[in-house]
Amino acid sequence: QLQASGGGLVQSGGSLRLSCTASRRIYSSGVVAWFRQAPGKDREFVAAIRWGSGIRYYEDSVRGRFTISRNSAENTAYLQMNSLQPDDAAVYYCAWGTEYGTTHKAYNIWGQGTLVTVSS
């Protein structure tokens, strides 16, 4: 129901924009979030946006570098990632839930993940 895309290989300091498109209109309310999971690490919260109000939340390490946004007409959420560092390399997942949270348990619909690789 969620399709994530936009991952790839980028040099340190570079940028990528991830997209998360819903296959049906589940984005009419709730919260869309991005998580990431690096090899051997737990899945961690990156950013979230309340679909209705547009209120945004960020994990401290990405604040000021990443921007989450949404386009209601396209039923798509975005994660613009700038100044990427090797520590940002991970599989990035988008997810939808009815309420905001910073743990994966808050979200019950997940995309398949898109790989971000950052070369130093």
Side-chain angles (χ1 to χ4, degrees):
Q1 295 183 354
L2 297 182
Q3 181 72 35
S5 62
L9 172 64
V10 64
Q11 289 187 334
S12 180
S15 299
L16 283 174
R17 187 177 79 158
L18 306 183
S19 300
C20 181
T21 300
S23 59
R24 60 183 177 90
R25 206 158 190 83
I26 62 175
Y27 281 174
S28 60
S29 62
V31 180
V32 177
W34 287 94
F35 285 73
R36 64 187 180 187
Q37 188 166 19
K41 295 187 177 180
D42 294 334
R43 190 168 300 190
E44 67 172 357
F45 172 80
V46 175
I49 185 167
R50 292 188 182 273
W51 198 260
S53 66
I55 295 174
R56 306 171 185 182
Y57 308 87
Y58 295 97
E59 193 272 329
D60 286 345
S61 70
V62 307
R63 191 185 310 274
R65 298 188 299 124
F66 291 10
T67 302
I68 189 170
S69 62
R70 89 271 199 235
N71 184 315
S72 298
E74 296 181 353
N75 230 25
T76 300
Y78 300 97
L79 185 68
Q80 177 67 42
M81 306 186 295
N82 298 329
S83 301
L84 283 161
Q85 301 300 317
D87 284 349
D88 295 315
V91 176
Y92 282 70
Y93 299 90
C94 60
W96 178 89
T98 57
E99 298 294 337
Y100 166 68
T102 58
T103 71
H104 68 278
K105 295 179 180 179
Y107 303 90
N108 56 348
I109 299 177
W110 289 82
Q112 84 286 4
T114 184
L115 178 64
V116 173
T117 305
V118 183
S119 63
S120 58

